[in-house]
Amino acid sequence: MSSIPGAVADGPNRMKRGINATWWYTVSGIVFFQLVLVLVWWPVAIDRGPVAGSIVGIGGLVWTAATVPVLLRYRHRADTGSAIEGWRANLAPFVIVVIFAVAASATTGYVTFGALPVLQMLMLLNWPRGIRARVALVATAVLVATWIIDRRIAPVLDPENPRSWILVGFFSIILPIMTVLSLWWWDVIGTLDRARAAESRLGATQERLRVATDVHDLQGHHLQVIALQLELAERLLEKERPDTALEQLRLARTSVDKARQGTRDLALRFRGVPLRDEIANAVDLLRAAGTTAEATVSDDADRAPASVLGPVIRETTTNVLKHGNGRWARLSLRRESGFWRYEIANDSSDAAAGGDGSGLEGIARRVGEVGGALEVDRSRHEFTVVVTVPEEKR
């Protein structure tokens, strides 16, 4: 047994892992900066009393935790969405943030402590393209204004260290800007990932279109010729010229044979691909779609019936792309007790469970014609298709 070279996608899958790492880096960076801000605020609140210190310290942790689910929903946002889309899911976190903002501002006397949590939550909403930057600019201007107001009406934090208020203002004002830059960078990465997936789907569609065009051109030409020959034969029979009509019927039959042979040649052009190459191509296609693919193939796999298993490999790979969750897939082809066993498994999804099964029915008919069998195992987390066909006599 041998493995397909690069079965674990070094290129596309490394990119996918990098995308996931970038997303969690983005989330953790925003959360970390909010926690740092709470630590900067807490000594200031302590100076206003233990109640204020407790509200800012404990409430700040609750505020940070409330923003996490809003951040997680942002990952799969649509560019055409709106800030109020899914407002029911964001309602509870928003209410928590507002309560914290009001309590922090009331107990400390600082307007900035009330304005920033609400403005930060607004930064995490699904704003349309170009709107978020404007919201960030407005939020920054508001925070600068609240910081100046607090500086004028509030007591000096530490007379011996006037820079402490500058530190509070700096961290407070920069948070929305940092958040917007982080989310903008994630949007760029997400756009590139969607473009890569679209390119993979386009490649598969173009291949199908090419095959369909070849079949259309071949059959269309021969069918048109056959139709003309049969029409001519019909007219000759009406004119009582049976010998000439019979000759046209013979020509029509010849055209049918040519069409049949042309279709067979076209099919053999795809069937002629060695099965090791078929599985390697399937792995490449899955990798291009961002799926972690592993394949194990017998060293003598090219002796397996390619005319049967080749279309099966292509059809099952297409099913994984269409109905799988796109995280992982395993393929194998080996010989067992006079049979060839092809197996493909992938992470299950509701779409796979709810499909019409026409593709699997076609596979069952194909392998049944040669004495083979199809087995399907659908569990909560895995979808497996196993095809067994007898060895060819040599």
Side-chain angles (χ1 to χ4, degrees):
M1 304 290 284
S2 62
S3 297
I4 294 295
V8 178
D10 293 335
N13 285 328
R14 186 184 297 116
M15 180 183 296
K16 186 173 184 179
R17 290 192 296 270
I19 289 172
N20 289 332
T22 300
W23 165 247
W24 290 113
Y25 174 81
T26 301
V27 172
S28 60
I30 294 175
V31 171
F32 175 78
F33 205 94
Q34 290 180 175
L35 291 174
V36 170
L37 182 65
V38 173
L39 291 177
V40 172
W41 278 5
W42 185 67
V44 177
I46 284 290
D47 291 341
R48 305 295 287 175
V51 175
S54 299
I55 289 177
V56 170
I58 299 175
L61 296 179
V62 175
W63 160 51
T64 302
T67 60
V68 172
V70 181
L71 266 173
L72 295 180
R73 279 190 290 272
Y74 186 89
R75 178 172 186 174
H76 303 291
R77 82 180 190 96
D79 289 337
T80 57
S82 64
I84 61 174
E85 185 178 359
W87 63 270
R88 288 187 178 88
N90 294 330
L91 181 60
F94 200 88
V95 170
I96 293 173
V97 170
V98 170
I99 293 175
F100 165 69
V102 172
S105 180
T107 55
T108 62
Y110 297 124
V111 182
T112 303
F113 285 20
L116 179 58
V118 176
L119 294 174
Q120 174 67 1
M121 179 64 78
L122 293 178
M123 295 300 101
L124 304 180
L125 299 180
N126 183 21
W127 295 100
R129 190 180 301 273
I131 302 299
R132 185 186 307 277
R134 301 173 190 174
V135 175
L137 291 176
V138 173
T140 302
V142 171
L143 290 173
V144 170
T146 59
W147 178 71
I148 295 175
I149 292 173
D150 288 337
R151 181 66 183 88
R152 290 183 178 275
I153 66 175
V156 178
L157 301 178
D158 186 355
E160 298 181 358
N161 185 17
R163 295 182 179 179
S164 59
W165 188 241
I166 297 178
L167 185 65
V168 170
F170 173 78
F171 278 96
S172 301
I173 293 170
I174 201 175
L175 179 60
I177 298 176
M178 190 280 297
T179 301
V180 168
L181 290 177
S182 299
L183 295 178
W184 170 81
W185 175 245
W186 167 250
D187 289 340
V188 172
I189 298 297
T191 300
L192 292 176
D193 184 47
R194 289 191 294 272
R196 177 180 57 82
E199 182 180 9
S200 173
R201 292 192 297 269
L202 179 61
T205 302
Q206 287 176 335
E207 178 65 16
R208 289 185 174 184
L209 181 60
R210 185 178 66 83
V211 174
T213 301
D214 290 344
V215 173
H216 176 271
D217 292 344
L218 174 68
Q219 297 291 349
H221 168 72
H222 287 294
L223 289 176
Q224 185 176 14
V225 172
I226 293 169
L228 292 174
Q229 290 169 335
L230 292 177
E231 182 180 357
L232 180 57
E234 182 181 6
R235 293 181 180 179
L236 290 172
L237 287 174
E238 291 176 354
K239 296 180 180 180
E240 298 183 354
R241 297 173 58 183
D243 294 338
T244 308
L246 183 60
E247 179 64 23
Q248 292 299 320
L249 291 175
R250 292 194 183 100
L251 292 174
R253 186 178 64 181
T254 301
S255 297
V256 171
D257 292 337
K258 289 181 179 179
R260 184 187 306 162
Q261 184 61 42
T263 304
R264 185 180 298 111
D265 293 341
L266 182 62
L268 288 175
R269 199 171 78 197
F270 296 97
R271 292 176 180 175
V273 178
L275 288 178
R276 288 181 60 83
D277 293 342
E278 284 280 10
I279 293 182
N281 291 337
V283 169
D284 289 340
L285 186 59
L286 291 169
R287 294 190 318 200
T291 302
T292 300
E294 298 178 355
T296 306
V297 184
S298 295
D299 294 332
D300 57 347
D302 290 342
R303 299 180 60 184
S307 60
V308 178
L309 291 179
V312 170
I313 292 172
R314 292 190 291 272
E315 177 66 26
T316 53
T317 302
T318 301
N319 286 343
V320 171
L321 292 172
K322 290 173 59 179
H323 302 304
N325 280 334
R327 289 191 292 269
W328 61 267
R330 296 191 305 267
L331 298 85
S332 68
L333 177 62
R334 60 182 184 272
R335 185 163 50 181
E336 292 181 352
S337 305
F339 284 83
W340 284 99
R341 175 187 173 92
Y342 166 71
E343 178 178 335
I344 182 169
N346 64 284
D347 49 331
S348 183
S349 70
D350 295 337
D356 58 12
S358 58
L360 294 177
E361 292 176 0
I363 292 174
R365 286 194 300 268
R366 180 182 295 275
V367 300
E369 291 173 356
V370 296
L374 168 69
E375 297 179 12
V376 178
D377 182 15
R378 182 184 291 113
S379 65
R380 181 177 179 182
H381 302 294
E382 184 172 326
F383 184 78
T384 305
V385 175
V386 178
V387 173
T388 55
V389 295
E391 291 184 90
E392 292 180 332
K393 303 295 184 180
R394 294 185 181 270

